[in-house]
Amino acid sequence: MRWSSFYHTASRVFNEYPSWSKSAIVCTVISSGGLVAYGEAVQSENVKEAPKKKVVILGTGWAGTSFLKSIRSSSYDIHVVSPRNYFAFTPLLPSVTCGTVEARSIVEPIRNISRKSGVNIEFSEAECYKIDPKNKKVYCRADPEKKMGGIEDFSLDYDYLVIAMGARSNTFNTPGVQEHAYFLKEVDDALRIRQKVVDLFEKASIPSISDEEKKKLLSFVIVGGGPTGVEFAAELHDFVHEDLSKLYPSLQRYVNITLLEAGDHILNMFDKRITEFAETKFKRDGIDVKLGSMVIKVSEREISAKDRVSGQVASIPHGMVVWSTGVGPRPEIIEFMKQVGQSNRRALATDEWLRVEGYDNIYALGDCATINQRKVMEDISLIFSKADKKNSGKLDLKEFQGVVDDIIERYPQVEIYLKKNQMKDIATLLKFSQESSVTVDIESFKSALSNVDTQMKNLPPTAQVAAQQGAYLADCFNRMEICERYPEGPLRFRGTGRHRFHPFRYKHFGQFAPLGGEQTAAQLPGDWISIGHSTQWLWYSIYASKLVSWRTRALVVSDWGRRFVFGRDSSRI
């Protein structure tokens, strides 16, 4: 009975005081005596955890959302600030302009994404209007239309700041663009274009409108022959000829689509075969492509363009102008660039680890930033001295092999140069033989690497780049603590030891250019070019797989199916 009573008492105590469950009572019997050892294994409840680092993320575009999807560490309190409470799959914006895909189908609430990450993430629907790097604060303002009684403004402290605010359309200060042109950067932009197209057709169908006025109303001008401009021109052509021509049969002959490009070709970042096919197809479809045309002015009813060769200025009447000529920095970024001494740049300059130059705790990625890749020739003497272990003033093959991997990782232009010149490795560039007795001095070293920096290129402002940067930075944050103790990056040629992380490296997976009529051009790694109807189905497959959730995949695929069966919706809501 006494043992039973002891058992029940002990059981009650352990249940009421769980910390005792981590205690251990070790009984060891030695000969005729006994020794009882009692060890308390519970950690003192008075010991407090180290405070979590505060991470503020500005923006919910490709870079910011990719970061949120990839972050796994619970060592941070993350606060996201953006005027949009959703992520938009921007490659499908041209499809939204003509009703091929509905706007709701390509957006995912940011709170859904953050909830699935399993990390403590807060979100505020507001716009950052000022960054104070000295005091580690960001100043934000909620939409005044929320009518919060004068408490729209707030500030956030940070330990780490991730700037992923994207960019705005670049008007190149062309008169009238801001007032009279339509852009295609946001979901709202696509919806405005869709509304305007239907409005123009409805207006042109009024009986009292003259033929001349109908031609002006249904004249659509797209400025910019890049992927977005070309895809929108193709989508608009299909919308007009496959759907609107059935609803407004008398207006089809008045429709004119013009594509203005300042360069020598449209899609000039693609292979020449794709460029030629696109220009030929557009000509066959009746899309008027004007190459070498620089827009100098946009008015309410006309657009003026100067021919780059002849210098002649031509005026084209229009019902709508869509401006798609690249991106430029947002006003908030311009102001921040002035604070950090980068006022003469077009984007925030970062190092290869995506840190804003001069600030170890501020990162910038996506369209608002550009990587300022360090030149080999700037560090050539330091590289040589780091490799010269014997301080002999000459490098042999063994010494050089000790740093060759670090050189290639730290300066990616070296590898690009080797591939372009069909060299096996960097030892070939330095003309090393397999005999370790062959050496090079500093002057020979400089001479061999003097042309390497000509291969430096800025990364394009694309969704693919931004998404990879966001995932890379999240991976760095996930492994921050372990990499502080065990650095994994290349040698510090301007210091001692190694960098904490491997530098960011962009991997290009190819690019698509939908050309209308269920035909798409693709340029994939390995110089693989594909054009035609089969490539359109490849485009469908890849874009569906890249959507951010199963919900958006189901919605987009169902929109594509609806369009095949019923056509595009032309309702004006």
Side-chain angles (χ1 to χ4, degrees), residues 414-427:
V414 174
E415 187 173 11
I416 297 172
Y417 183 83
L418 294 175
K419 288 181 179 179
K420 185 176 181 180
N421 291 275
Q422 298 180 343
M423 296 181 181
K424 182 181 178 181
D425 51 35
I426 196 170

Side-chain angles (χ1 to χ4, degrees), residues 491-509:
L491 282 171
R492 294 180 183 269
F493 291 112
R494 287 181 168 266
T496 59
R498 291 185 170 272
H499 291 277
R500 281 183 302 178
F501 307 107
H502 297 292
F504 171 74
R505 289 292 173 264
Y506 169 62
K507 186 175 182 180
H508 187 60
F509 292 106

Side-chain angles (χ1 to χ4, degrees), residues 42-56:
V42 68
Q43 190 177 10
S44 173
E45 296 180 1
N46 295 325
V47 177
K48 296 182 179 179
E49 292 184 4
K52 293 183 178 182
K53 297 286 187 180
K54 298 177 182 177
V55 180
V56 174

Side-chain angles (χ1 to χ4, degrees), residues 9-185:
T9 303
S11 176
R12 179 176 56 81
V13 170
F14 271 72
N15 285 326
E16 292 179 1
Y17 302 93
S19 61
W20 282 52
S21 63
K22 296 182 180 179
S23 300
I25 300 177
V26 181
C27 298
T28 305
V29 179
I30 303 175
S31 63
S32 61
L35 173 65
V36 178
Y38 174 84
E40 177 62 63
V42 68
Q43 190 177 10
S44 173
E45 296 180 1
N46 295 325
V47 177
K48 296 182 179 179
E49 292 184 4
K52 293 183 178 182
K53 297 286 187 180
K54 298 177 182 177
V55 180
V56 174
I57 302 172
L58 303 179
T60 53
W62 280 94
T65 301
S66 180
F67 181 93
L68 293 178
K69 288 178 64 181
S70 303
I71 192 72
R72 294 290 179 267
S73 175
S74 58
S75 301
Y76 310 100
D77 282 329
I78 301 173
H79 201 127
V80 184
V81 179
S82 174
R84 303 181 314 186
N85 71 343
Y86 58 85
F87 164 75
F89 191 82
T90 52
L92 287 178
L93 283 180
S95 298
V96 175
T97 61
C98 298
T100 305
V101 170
E102 293 298 325
R104 287 280 179 187
S105 301
I106 68 167
V107 300
E108 181 74 11
I110 205 67
R111 296 181 190 275
N112 276 359
I113 296 171
S114 62
R115 178 175 56 85
K116 294 173 184 176
S117 69
V119 181
N120 181 29
I121 299 175
E122 294 184 29
F123 174 77
S124 296
E125 189 178 21
E127 191 165 13
C128 172
Y129 64 88
K130 182 183 177 183
I131 300 171
D132 183 0
K134 184 178 180 181
N135 296 308
K136 297 183 180 180
K137 283 180 178 288
V138 292
Y139 296 88
C140 310
R141 181 178 295 123
D143 190 343
E145 292 183 2
K146 293 183 183 294
K147 297 180 180 180
M148 298 173 65
I151 56 172
E152 295 89 357
D153 288 23
F154 62 93
S155 64
L156 295 172
D157 297 317
Y158 67 82
D159 294 303
Y160 296 106
L161 176 64
V162 179
I163 304 173
M165 300 171 71
R168 61 178 178 176
S169 297
N170 194 348
T171 66
F172 300 98
N173 296 319
T174 306
V177 173
Q178 203 69 48
E179 296 82 4
H180 305 296
Y182 288 76
F183 303 102
L184 192 48
K185 284 286 293 175

Side-chain angles (χ1 to χ4, degrees), residues 362-383:
I362 302 179
Y363 299 83
L365 45 160
D367 292 357
C368 69
T370 183
I371 296 176
N372 189 17
Q373 176 62 51
R374 193 159 188 86
K375 295 180 180 180
V376 173
M377 296 308 292
E378 291 176 345
D379 298 336
I380 193 73
S381 298
L382 296 169
I383 295 172

